């Protein structure tokens, strides 16, 4: 959905504002036209399809593996998070170019909860992956894997509470309905002028879409990753736990860096009310869409690098299929 340039030169959200990570987030971008919309739809569909195939193959190899570790389970959990991303993206495409929301207030709150919470869950899962591998390489784990996962889910749910409290359906005289996040009520508490209410929303997006989902995890994983690099190909890495963790973490940081950067720049411009030209606004929206697409390549690269590093899983999958074929032939011969 390639945006078209319009005369407005501000990045301030308008009445059709939604918290999607792709285009059409602002009144400054007109609805997609014809082929440009189709191009983005095709590109995302191709990446999602490839991700589904590769992740399914990887999960199938893990099913055939006898000695599964917590690292393997966390990598599978990443795939579940990706499926929620795909569902949200397809739902937003189904709303059409206008992004009007024809459903109830309750569904709007749930939609915003998933929209804000899923990126947080992905970053939290990365932290769990890194610190679980780091702690297990240093000393035997004492807590249950299910306890760690439960703590992660509870933490992410608590962080996502504002998305439920401040989500609402905005209905306009034209009968247009939009599911939005509206934190303007906090502007008075923060001592902001009436014309600066949009800054509160921008700060929220800055924290939830950039800081908590990328920059803070980046700062938290640097130390354990540097320590674990020295353990690669040692006895602590006999099940490739450390190698897989390092590869997945680096790929996450690389593929999500452009998106986190453009979100940071965009929300800083809005918060500081920096004037920008219509051309700059258009470029920012296009880059936002492109960088979201690039971030989706992490969904494909993650299982691929795991398959390459942990090649022992592939023979297990082939042997299981071979046994099933042999068993079927024997039963056929008996008949």
């Amino acid at each position: 959905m390639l945006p078209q340039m319009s005369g407005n030169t501000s990045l301030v959200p308008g009445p059709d504002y939604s918290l999607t990570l792709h285009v059409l987030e602002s009144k400054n971008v007109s609805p997609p036209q014809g082929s440009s919309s189709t191009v983005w739809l095709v590109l995302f569909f191709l990446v999602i399809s490839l991700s589904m195939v590769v992740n399914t193959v990887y999960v199938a190899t893990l099913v055939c593996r006898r000695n599964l570790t917590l690292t393997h389970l966390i990598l599978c959990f990443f795939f579940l998070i990706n499926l929620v991303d795909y569902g949200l993206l397809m739902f937003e495409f189904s709303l059409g170019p206008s992004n009007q929301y024809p459903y109830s207030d309750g569904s709007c709150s749930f939609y915003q909860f998933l929209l804000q919470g899923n990126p947080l869950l992905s970053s939290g899962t990365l932290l769990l992956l890194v610190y679980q591998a780091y702690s297990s390489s240093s000393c035997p784990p004492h807590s249950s894997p299910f306890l760690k996962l439960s703590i992660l889910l509870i933490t992410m749910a608590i962080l996502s509470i504002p998305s439920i409290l401040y989500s609402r359906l905005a209905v306009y005289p034209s009968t247009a309905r939009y599911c939005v996040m509206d934190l303007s009520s906090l502007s008075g508490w923060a001592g902001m002028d009436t014309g600066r209410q949009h800054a509160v929303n921008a700060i929220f997006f800055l924290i939830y879409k950039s800081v908590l989902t990328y920059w803070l995890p980046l700062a938290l994983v640097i130390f354990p990753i540097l320590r674990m690099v020295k353990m690669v190909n040692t006895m602590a890495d006999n099940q490739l736990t450390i190698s897989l963790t390092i590869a997945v973490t680096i790929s996450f940081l690389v593929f999500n860096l452009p998106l986190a950067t453009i979100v940071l720049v965009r929300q800083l411009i809005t918060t500081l009310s920096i004037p920008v030209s219509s051309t700059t606004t258009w470029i920012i929206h296009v880059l936002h869409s492109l960088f979201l697409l690039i971030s989706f390549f992490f969904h494909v690269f993650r299982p691929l690098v795991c398959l390459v590093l942990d090649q022992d899983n592939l023979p297990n999958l082939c042997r299981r299929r071979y046994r099933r074929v042999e068993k079927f032939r024997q039963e056929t011969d008996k008949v």
Side-chain angles (χ1 to χ4, degrees):
M1 293 183 289
L2 188 63
Q4 309 294 322
M5 285 188 292
S6 62
N8 198 316
T9 59
S10 170
L11 287 178
V12 177
D16 59 348
Y17 186 77
S18 68
L19 291 184
T20 60
L21 281 178
H22 59 288
V23 301
L24 297 180
E25 286 193 327
S26 168
K27 66 179 181 182
N28 311 310
V29 181
S30 63
Q33 303 295 328
S35 60
S36 61
S37 169
T38 305
V39 168
W40 285 108
L41 181 60
V42 170
L43 289 175
F44 276 100
F45 177 77
L46 290 175
V47 175
I48 290 174
S49 299
L50 184 58
S51 170
M52 295 284 289
V53 172
V54 179
N55 277 282
T56 301
V57 172
Y58 180 64
V59 172
T61 61
L62 293 181
V63 171
C64 302
R65 187 186 179 105
R66 294 181 179 178
N67 53 339
L68 284 177
T69 64
L70 180 57
T71 298
H72 296 110
L73 297 178
I74 295 175
L75 292 173
C76 291
F77 188 65
F78 266 117
F79 183 37
L80 296 179
I81 297 174
N82 297 157
L83 293 178
V84 177
D85 282 331
Y86 304 153
L88 289 172
L89 192 62
M90 292 300 102
F91 176 75
E92 292 180 5
F93 274 119
S94 71
L95 294 179
S98 63
N99 268 351
Q100 292 195 38
Y101 194 87
Y103 306 105
S104 64
D105 286 296
S107 64
C108 175
S109 298
F110 180 69
Y111 167 64
Q112 292 291 351
F113 175 79
L114 292 179
L115 200 60
Q116 310 309 318
N118 212 51
L120 293 174
L121 185 58
S122 180
S123 301
T125 303
L126 180 73
L127 292 176
L128 176 61
L129 175 70
V130 172
Y131 279 92
Q132 185 277 329
Y134 179 66
S135 61
S136 62
S137 62
S138 303
C139 59
H142 300 288
S143 57
S144 167
F146 297 101
L147 177 60
K148 295 179 179 179
L149 184 59
S150 299
I151 293 175
L152 172 64
L153 293 175
I154 293 173
T155 303
M156 296 304 106
I158 293 174
L159 289 175
S160 301
I161 288 178
S163 63
I164 299 177
L165 297 179
Y166 295 101
S167 61
R168 69 180 183 90
L169 275 179
V171 183
Y172 295 89
S174 61
T175 69
R177 296 158 53 93
Y178 302 97
C179 180
V180 300
M181 287 288 296
D182 184 10
L183 288 85
S184 58
S185 59
L186 298 179
S187 59
W189 176 79
M192 293 184 175
D193 298 334
T194 305
R196 295 275 298 161
Q197 291 178 351
H198 62 273
V200 180
N201 279 9
I203 293 172
F204 175 84
F205 304 149
L206 178 64
I207 295 174
Y208 273 74
K209 296 297 186 182
S210 184
V211 176
L212 291 180
T213 57
Y214 185 84
W215 301 110
L216 181 60
L218 171 62
L220 293 176
V221 301
I222 289 178
F223 175 75
I225 288 295
L226 292 178
R227 293 292 299 271
M228 285 191 293
V229 166
K230 303 176 183 179
M231 304 178 189
V232 175
N233 296 328
T234 63
M235 288 298 296
D237 193 28
N238 60 342
Q239 292 185 315
L240 297 177
T241 299
I242 296 177
S243 298
L244 291 173
T245 300
I246 293 175
V248 170
T249 302
I250 293 176
S251 63
F252 177 92
L253 298 176
V254 169
F255 285 111
N256 286 278
L257 174 61
L259 181 61
T261 302
I262 196 65
V263 170
L264 178 66
V265 171
R266 179 175 182 172
Q267 302 308 332
L268 284 177
I269 290 175
T270 304
T271 303
L272 302 176
S273 298
I274 299 175
V276 293
S277 66
S278 59
T279 302
T280 303
T281 301
W282 182 81
I283 292 174
I284 289 176
H285 282 286
V286 172
L287 290 178
H288 202 162
S289 303
L290 176 62
F291 292 161
L292 174 66
L293 182 65
I294 292 175
S295 70
F296 271 43
F297 278 94
F298 168 68
H299 306 173
V300 179
F301 185 82
R302 183 190 64 248
L304 280 177
V305 73
C306 292
L307 287 172
V308 171
L309 291 177
D310 198 3
Q311 296 183 5
D312 293 340
N313 289 337
L314 292 177
N316 292 334
L317 178 62
C318 295
R319 281 197 295 268
R320 174 165 289 193
R321 289 184 176 179
Y322 176 77
R323 290 172 182 172
R324 288 180 178 177
V325 172
E326 286 296 317
K327 184 178 180 180
F328 176 76
R329 288 179 178 177
Q330 292 176 1
E331 292 177 351
T332 304
D333 292 340
K334 293 180 180 179
V335 175

